[in-house]
Every structure is written in C-alpha cells, then in structure tokens.
Amino acid sequence: MSDSTVRSTQPIIIIGVGQLGQALALGFLRLGHPVYPITSSMDIKTAASSYPDPYFVVVAVDESTLDSVLSGLPSSWKTKLVLLQNELLPYIWEAHGITDPTIFICWYEKKSSIGAVQDFEESPSVTFGPHSQTIAAATRAIGLYCNIITNPTKTSAVEALMCKNLFIIVSNVSGFAVNTTCSEFISTHQSVLDRVFQEVLAIQEAACGVDVDDEMRKRLYDRAITHFKTQPNHAIPWGRVAKSRLMRSIQLADKHSLEVPFLRELWKCNN
C-alpha cells in the first residue's frame, strides 16, 4: 500500500527523540500529523497499549541500540516501521521478521538544533517504502531535501544503503590510520582510502547477499569521493563512535568468514 501526505488522525510514533527524531517530529507537526514521542525512559509496551494502531512508527534510535528496540516492538507496529540508522542493511530488519519497512537514508551533517539541520551540499537524502511520501514531505517542511526512490529493486535499495554506509564507515575507520582532513585524505592517502573502501565494501556485499559489479563499485567509490569533497576541511575520523563502527565491521566480517586484513590490523593497533 502506498503512502500519501493526507493528514491522519492516527499518531506518528517516534522512538528516540534525539536531534533527528526532533527534526522529523517538527516536520510531521507542520504537516498536521499528531506525534507521540517515546523516550529512552518510557516503556514501549505501555505506549503500544495506548496506541495499538498508529499511522506509522519511526525508530530514531542509534545503530548501537536498534536491535534491542526492534526486539521489543509489538507485531502490529512491525508492519509500519520507518528506519533511518547508519550502517543499516536488510539482514538487520529481516532478523526481526520485518519485511517492508520504509527506509530513510539521511544525508544531514550537523544537527545542533532543529533550526540548523543541514544537508550535505551534493547529497540529498533518499527514502523508499510505504511511507516515503510523508517522510519526504516532512523533510521539505523543515527546509531540507529528500528524494523518493519509487519501486526500488533489491539491488537499487541495497546500493542506496551501501552508499551511506561506505562513506560513514570508511571515514570513521580510516581515522585510525591517518590524522588528516577530508581534502588531504583523498589527495595524499589514496592507498588507505582504497584498502579500507575495498574491505568495507566486501563486508557490505557479503552481508547483503548481492553481487556488486564493476559499474556499481565505481558508482559507490565515486560517490564516496564526492562526499569527502563536500567537507574538505573536516577532520578524519568523523564522530565519536569510530571504534564501535570498526568493531561491528570486523564482527560482520567474521560472520561471513572474510579476512579483511587491513581492518584487523587497525583494530589490533588501536586496542
């Protein structure tokens, strides 16, 4: 069933009211949708008993807590999910019996306040799935951009997810090898970029069960370079969770029996 931007009297549930959750809440409210937030101190089952049939449910927690949140959702909510985490891949939601979530791939840089949310200049966010129209409308309502991928194939959906994942993971992990800016990274540390990119891509490919052909590989690599160019003076690594991303990448490599020697060397040297 496709979504529409017609106002609903059913609330939109938002689990996690950090910066992105707050920004989306504002967008929904500007569209006239009622919003019910669930914070980390609230009980999801209690909320579900009060709102058993919401319009949809946005899971806006970070990737480190996503699995536990999905495990605790009622079955009636699992058919109405919107997911937006970094490192998101289909096996994560499929493990919880979720078959058709709406995916929101956010390319937003700094979110110090709702009024200061910024897009990556050349990287509009994308969304696909049953509630993609409302997600796109909500982002436009707060002055951002979001493209809708209509009827995505498994390959096109995975490519969109991989594009964000590769940039986030490569930028974080590479910081354990070099101390530099994005501009210098792509101009003088090509060997590090290439090694990390290839190993992370191998992990993503195995986890998704898709074959990445040469054309897709080039598109993914070129997009990563483009994203680095949009923030030339930004330091590598990005974010405070770089070590966690490296650890999760190696754990996923272990699950699929991948060697990834450079990633393992970086882990060994930084632990």
Side-chain angles (χ1 to χ4, degrees):
M1 182 183 299
S2 62
D3 189 30
S4 72
T5 56
V6 176
R7 294 173 186 166
S8 172
T9 57
Q10 300 164 283
I12 295 174
I13 308 293
I14 301 182
I15 304 174
V17 287
Q19 293 168 333
L20 187 52
Q22 292 176 51
L24 283 174
L26 178 59
F28 297 142
L29 290 170
R30 286 182 175 176
L31 294 177
H33 292 288
V35 172
Y36 183 84
I38 299 179
T39 68
S40 58
S41 63
M42 296 170 66
D43 181 62
I44 291 177
K45 290 183 179 180
T46 299
S49 65
S50 299
Y51 300 99
D53 187 31
Y55 190 34
F56 57 80
V57 179
V58 179
V59 181
V61 301
D62 66 29
E63 52 269 29
S64 66
T65 57
L66 176 61
D67 190 69
S68 62
V69 169
L70 294 181
S71 296
L73 293 179
S75 298
S76 60
W77 283 14
K78 288 185 177 181
T79 61
K80 302 181 175 189
L81 291 187
V82 176
L83 303 177
L84 47 73
Q85 288 69 26
N86 292 324
E87 303 179 46
L88 193 61
L89 290 173
Y91 79 91
I92 295 173
W93 65 76
E94 289 170 355
H96 296 275
I98 298 163
T99 58
D100 191 24
T102 298
I103 303 301
F104 180 30
I105 303 174
C106 315
W107 284 101
Y108 302 146
E109 184 195 5
K110 238 179 188 179
K111 302 177 290 294
S112 58
S113 69
I114 289 176
V117 177
Q118 296 293 322
D119 274 309
F120 278 77
E121 183 178 352
E122 299 181 24
S123 310
S125 298
V126 296
T127 183
F128 54 87
H131 298 289
S132 56
Q133 291 186 34
T134 299
I135 295 297
T139 60
R140 289 193 298 269
I142 54 175
L144 303 176
Y145 298 94
C146 182
N147 294 327
I148 298 174
I149 303 177
T150 305
N151 299 321
T153 64
K154 178 181 179 180
T155 300
S156 64
V158 164
E159 182 173 351
L161 288 164
M162 281 187 177
C163 183
K164 176 70 180 293
N165 293 348
L166 283 163
F167 175 68
I168 293 294
I169 298 172
V170 169
S171 62
N172 275 241
V173 168
S174 297
F176 293 112
V178 294
N179 181 15
T180 187
T181 63
C182 289
S183 177
E184 292 179 353
F185 180 52
I186 61 177
S187 63
T188 63
H189 298 284
Q190 189 77 38
S191 62
V192 173
L193 170 59
D194 289 349
R195 292 179 72 183
V196 174
F197 178 88
Q198 295 302 335
E199 292 190 2
V200 173
L201 177 57
I203 296 170
Q204 298 273 305
E205 183 178 9
C208 291
V210 299
D211 293 323
V212 176
D213 60 23
D214 290 341
E215 290 185 1
M216 185 191 296
R217 186 181 304 270
K218 184 179 185 304
R219 286 196 301 271
L220 291 168
Y221 186 85
D222 289 347
R223 287 292 301 275
I225 295 298
T226 297
H227 300 325
F228 282 118
K229 287 180 177 178
T230 63
Q231 300 292 320
N233 298 317
H234 205 301
I236 300 286
W238 287 20
R240 64 190 181 277
V241 294
K243 184 169 285 189
S244 296
R245 296 198 196 285
L246 177 55
M247 179 185 69
R248 286 192 292 270
S249 293
I250 292 175
Q251 289 172 339
L252 198 52
D254 289 340
K255 180 179 178 180
H256 294 280
S257 302
L258 299 174
E259 294 185 1
V260 293
F262 191 54
L263 297 187
R264 295 185 191 279
E265 179 184 345
L266 292 178
W267 179 259
K268 182 178 180 181
C269 293
N270 290 276
N271 284 279

